Amino acid sequence: MACRITSKIAQPGILSVRRMATAAKEVHFTREGKVGLITLDRPKALNAINLNMVHQIRDHLLSWHDDTSVGVVCVEGTGPKSFCAGGDVVSITASAEDDSAALTFFHDEFQMNYLIGTYPKPYVSLIHGITMGGGVGLSLHGKYRVATERTLYAMPETAIGYFPDVGGSYFLSRLEQPYGMFLGLTGYRIKGADLKHLGIATHYTEMEKLPALKSAIMASTEDTIEEVLASHESPIPGPFTLGPQVDLIKHCFSAPSVLDIFSRLEEDGSDFAVKLLKTLRRMSPRSLVVTHKLLSEGGNFSYEECFAREFVAAAEIYRSGEFTEGVRALLVDKDNCPAWKPGTVEEVTQEMVDRYFVPSGRQWKPL
């Protein structure tokens, strides 16, 4: 039977990113007044981040950390399509026989994410366009996230044999539950206004007003930035679009296991439930179970501990070959037929899952 992803739910934006030659200027850093501006500049790759960009952003954040002449940090993406579509996953999996490059990327990216989340100065993300995977890590940990009607948010990693990382086990587990579990397992795409409803975005501004907002941000200070953001907010257009599905989501995604989620969706039988179940059955079974455990337990761990646990899981999922196979099937060969091992959630054993939570080899620590 032919394998093909057709559901909008299961189309991860991160998967559209192709490996591209390293440009001399992939990210720019500008100082104006008391504001440090970070501009991602890989529009042809939807501003996907690579290790070079991670290091540059990390190093500039460190240099501004104790610089009293910098009071606010703002990050944006070049072009109208994307803030940041995620990590350059094809490059990450290119050396499948050697996991050192992949683990270095995850390790250093997580350090950058953690630095953003513990930054002592206001950090503002203008998340217009596609904001997925690594783009979520670049934005959500900061104090302010400004969405527009063109924002498209998702954590679609289970479709490529991975899991919602970049601190996902921390922030998804702390959303009003079980929305975090729903978003983390399905990769469901959320638009700008709904991000404000969910609390993922702190502000909502119409795209046509974004240039004026950016100008005001660049003239702001740490004392005025909150007022600047509030004064440029637009009314949220309409109610929460997932409102009609709230009861279904709460009932099904609060289940104690992935198999129980499947059972509750089957019992519900509505069109939305059937669509979700079809989507979930295409995802990596192993990734679904690991994600469920990470998100179920994430609320019990500190910010630092969540990143450390995710790094352990990332190392094991890379060694398992599941991530490499998912990228191959959806990005490289594009046959959309990943050979997941095992092929069903029913076959995922406790022993398999436990390996993702036992530290082995290199460990993660914040800067």
Side-chain angles (χ1 to χ4, degrees):
M1 183 173 69
C3 301
R4 186 171 181 81
I5 292 181
T6 55
S7 170
K8 290 183 179 180
I9 296 174
Q11 297 266 3
I14 191 173
L15 302 186
S16 66
V17 176
R18 302 299 303 160
R19 187 179 185 186
M20 305 196 62
T22 301
K25 292 289 186 180
E26 298 172 317
V27 55
H28 305 276
F29 302 90
T30 308
R31 284 287 309 280
E32 187 172 325
K34 295 208 69 177
V35 179
L37 177 66
I38 302 171
T39 304
L40 310 179
D41 193 11
R42 297 184 73 204
K44 292 183 179 179
L46 301 178
N47 295 321
I49 56 172
N50 54 35
L51 189 60
N52 172 54
M53 297 166 74
V54 166
H55 287 167
Q56 289 190 62
I57 294 169
R58 178 197 65 189
D59 292 347
H60 274 79
L61 288 175
L62 287 173
S63 71
W64 292 339
H65 189 279
D66 298 318
D67 185 345
T68 57
S69 68
V70 177
V72 176
V73 174
C74 181
V75 60
E76 64 175 358
T78 298
K81 293 183 179 180
S82 179
F83 167 70
C84 174
D88 194 343
V89 295
V90 176
S91 293
I92 295 168
T93 58
S95 300
E97 70 283 353
D98 178 12
D99 66 4
S100 61
L103 294 186
T104 294
F105 178 84
F106 296 135
H107 180 276
D108 294 0
E109 182 187 28
F110 292 3
Q111 284 189 331
M112 177 191 68
N113 301 143
Y114 184 88
L115 178 60
I116 293 169
T118 57
Y119 212 62
K121 301 175 181 183
Y123 180 100
V124 184
S125 304
L126 303 179
I127 53 172
H128 69 284
I130 299 169
T131 304
M132 299 187 183
V136 175
L138 268 175
S139 57
L140 195 136
H141 295 288
K143 186 172 183 179
Y144 302 114
R145 288 89 59 189
V146 183
T148 75
E149 69 273 21
R150 295 186 189 176
T151 304
L152 192 62
Y153 164 101
M155 293 293 283
E157 288 81 3
T158 56
I160 53 170
Y162 195 52
F163 62 90
D165 65 342
V166 297
S169 63
Y170 183 86
F171 61 76
L172 288 174
S173 66
R174 285 163 173 78
L175 287 180
E176 181 184 347
Q177 289 303 310
Y179 289 117
M181 187 67 72
F182 165 69
L183 296 174
L185 292 177
T186 66
Y188 194 89
R189 294 180 170 196
I190 299 290
K191 294 186 178 180
D194 283 345
L195 289 178
K196 182 70 186 296
H197 283 293
L198 284 170
I200 294 173
T202 59
H203 297 79
Y204 177 84
T205 299
E206 293 173 350
M207 189 69 181
E208 66 179 9
K209 298 179 180 179
L210 203 58
L213 171 59
K214 180 184 171 182
S215 295
I217 290 172
M218 297 307 293
S220 72
T221 69
E222 59 269 43
D223 296 322
T224 63
I225 183 62
E226 193 161 346
E227 180 182 348
V228 164
L229 294 172
S231 66
H232 286 78
E233 271 213 277
S234 302
I236 301 176
F240 186 34
T241 61
L242 282 174
Q245 312 299 341
V246 165
D247 290 343
L248 181 156
I249 291 170
K250 289 186 175 181
H251 174 66
C252 295
F253 288 87
S254 62
S257 71
V258 176
L259 282 176
D260 287 325
I261 291 173
F262 283 13
S263 295
R264 292 186 185 186
L265 289 170
E266 288 172 349
E267 291 170 3
D268 182 277
S270 64
D271 289 346
F272 189 68
V274 170
K275 188 176 183 179
L276 290 176
L277 186 59
K278 185 177 180 181
T279 294
L280 288 169
R281 290 201 178 278
R282 283 195 294 263
M283 306 304 195
S284 160
R286 195 184 304 217
S287 293
L288 289 175
V289 178
V290 169
T291 295
H292 188 276
K293 181 174 175 65
L294 280 167
L295 300 189
S296 295
E297 298 177 351
N300 300 322
F301 291 91
S302 69
Y303 192 52
E304 181 176 337
E305 289 170 335
C306 282
F307 279 105
R309 295 182 90 226
E310 289 178 18
F311 185 71
V312 172
E316 178 58 32
I317 215 161
Y318 191 86
R319 285 191 290 264
S320 74
E322 202 82 339
F323 181 39
T324 303
E325 172 60 13
V327 173
R328 178 209 64 78
L330 276 77
L331 264 185
V332 180
D333 297 339
K334 296 185 178 180
D335 57 29
N336 291 319
C337 288
W340 303 131
K341 295 180 182 179
T344 66
V345 171
E346 290 81 356
E347 296 174 276
V348 178
T349 67
Q350 189 62 49
E351 181 182 1
M352 290 177 189
V353 177
D354 288 344
R355 288 200 294 267
Y356 292 83
F357 298 89
V358 178
S360 175
R362 185 177 181 182
Q363 302 300 300
W364 182 86
K365 291 288 184 183
L367 291 164

